[in-house]
Amino acid sequence: MCETCGGHGPSADRSPETTTGGNRIVVVGKGGVGKSTISALLARALARRGLSVLAVDADEQRNLAATLGVDAAVAASLVPLAEDAGYIEEKTGARPGEGAGGMLRLNPDTSDLVDRLSVPAPDGVRLVVMGGVRRAGGGCLCPETALVASAVGGMHLHAEDFVVMDTHAGVEHFGRALARGFDTAVVVVEPSFNAVQVGVESAGLARDLGISRLLLVVNRASSYHDVERVLGHIDHLGGFDFESATILPVDQSVIDGEPSVDVALRGSPILDALGGLVAAVMEHAPAMSGPVA
Ligand SMILES: Nc1ncnc2c1ncn2[C@@H]1O[C@H](COP(=O)(O)OP(=O)(O)O)[C@@H](O)[C@H]1O
Ligand SMILES: [Mg+2]
């Protein structure tokens, strides 16, 4: 059952949760907390370590290309998955925007996704943009969301391959299709109760989908007092057992370089602090050599 529109016949509930190798990371949290910034920094920092990285923009606002520092002409040539009606129909059996009632193939062979739809980003990262807009009232994004989650989750990856998926806020609209292949959620919060509340909710939903590694990032922390406030809010919300916590400062190079993280990647406090998150996500990947950020 589609959790967005309530339709679509055979659901992602029946998709086999196969092991497809690699490391798939979904980045969640309230709007504005720094998800795209951290997704872009993480993707490029992993690529600089010699790892193969696919960045996936699953936010319909589509700002990951600019945040990654993708060349403007290349970004203009991007075909978002949601607008590639032919690809969606070929793979899912449904036209984009079809409402309830269609039968979706949720485990299509999407091994050609990167070749057909990705563009190059700096440091050797590849980018796929999901695109699409939330439709007010009728219709839903089921074919697109189901396809992107299923496609990204079902691709066979090598142990040293990483997928970093930036989202609008959380995992709810992906439903159980996301559980296939995704093993790590990076939960981004900033020092405000509302951001922590959304983060804890998103973490709970991700855990309920079977995503086992939940890594907390406290962004825009300007003092240890900010970190204590976040921990206090988490306690107040009933507590949550995150596997690791990474504290990132407010960073002038992010503000100066905005929208691209290029300036921050030349050397900055946020890049230094990101090392903890990079180490946490690489914990299960094989040791790699290569230039370090
Ligand atoms: N640690 C930081 N220091 C300074 N500015 C930041 C930091 N993290 C994010 N920003 C800025 O905050 C704004 C929102 O960040 P963004 O990554 O777009 O958030 P989200 O994707 O969660 O909506 C952007 O302008 C970004 O450059
Ligand atoms: Mg964003």
Side-chain angles (χ1 to χ4, degrees):
M1 174 75 69
C2 167
E3 283 153 27
T4 306
C5 74
H8 289 306
S11 76
D13 286 346
R14 291 194 207 162
S15 45
E17 286 164 29
T18 46
T19 303
T20 46
N23 307 271
R24 291 172 178 82
I25 301 157
V26 58
V27 180
V28 301
K30 189 174 183 297
V33 292
K35 294 181 299 298
S36 299
T37 304
I38 291 160
S39 299
L41 284 169
L42 179 61
R44 288 188 55 182
L46 288 167
R48 286 179 174 199
R49 284 163 169 79
L51 298 157
S52 158
V53 182
L54 175 67
V56 178
D57 191 351
D59 181 348
E60 60 272 21
Q61 287 178 354
R62 304 179 201 177
N63 46 27
L64 190 58
T67 314
L68 277 166
V70 170
D71 181 78
V74 173
S77 73
L78 257 168
V79 180
L81 179 58
E83 284 171 21
D84 197 331
Y87 189 85
I88 292 170
E89 188 168 21
E90 177 188 326
K91 301 297 178 180
T92 68
R95 301 287 300 172
E98 275 187 356
M103 302 286 271
L104 298 183
R105 283 192 297 275
L106 287 173
N107 295 320
D109 176 6
T110 51
S111 44
D112 57 358
L113 180 83
V114 174
D115 285 345
R116 280 173 62 177
L117 296 180
S118 75
V119 295
D123 293 321
V125 172
R126 303 290 309 184
L127 169 68
V128 170
V129 174
M130 178 183 155
V133 286
R134 293 243 163 96
R135 295 179 178 88
C140 84
L141 282 172
C142 305
E144 297 94 319
T145 51
L147 180 65
V148 80
S150 180
V152 172
M155 279 187 302
H156 289 276
L157 301 180
H158 298 295
E160 66 274 18
D161 294 344
F162 278 79
V163 170
V164 179
M165 187 161 89
D166 185 21
T167 65
H168 169 72
V171 292
E172 51 277 14
H173 57 289
F174 294 107
R176 287 190 52 76
L178 193 71
R180 190 167 172 242
F182 278 82
D183 41 55
T184 303
V186 170
V187 179
V188 184
V189 303
E190 59 183 9
S192 77
F193 181 79
N194 287 346
V196 174
Q197 185 169 37
V198 173
V200 168
E201 269 173 30
S202 301
L205 285 167
R207 187 179 53 194
D208 292 348
L209 287 176
I211 298 174
S212 57
R213 306 190 66 214
L214 297 155
L215 312 178
L216 179 67
V217 173
V218 181
N219 191 27
R220 291 203 192 86
S222 43
S223 66
Y224 194 71
H225 180 64
D226 281 342
V227 179
E228 283 182 324
R229 273 174 44 216
V230 167
L231 297 178
H233 292 328
I234 292 174
D235 266 357
H236 181 75
L237 291 160
F240 200 92
D241 195 13
F242 289 100
E243 185 177 310
S244 70
T246 304
I247 316 299
L248 302 180
V250 175
D251 193 307
Q252 190 60 39
S253 70
V254 174
I255 297 163
D256 291 343
E258 187 272 326
S260 161
V261 292
D262 270 325
V263 177
L265 280 161
R266 284 182 209 140
S268 59
I270 197 170
L271 185 62
D272 294 343
L274 192 81
L277 179 64
V278 174
V281 300
M282 285 179 67
E283 206 170 286
H284 297 304
M288 295 288 295
S289 57
V292 169

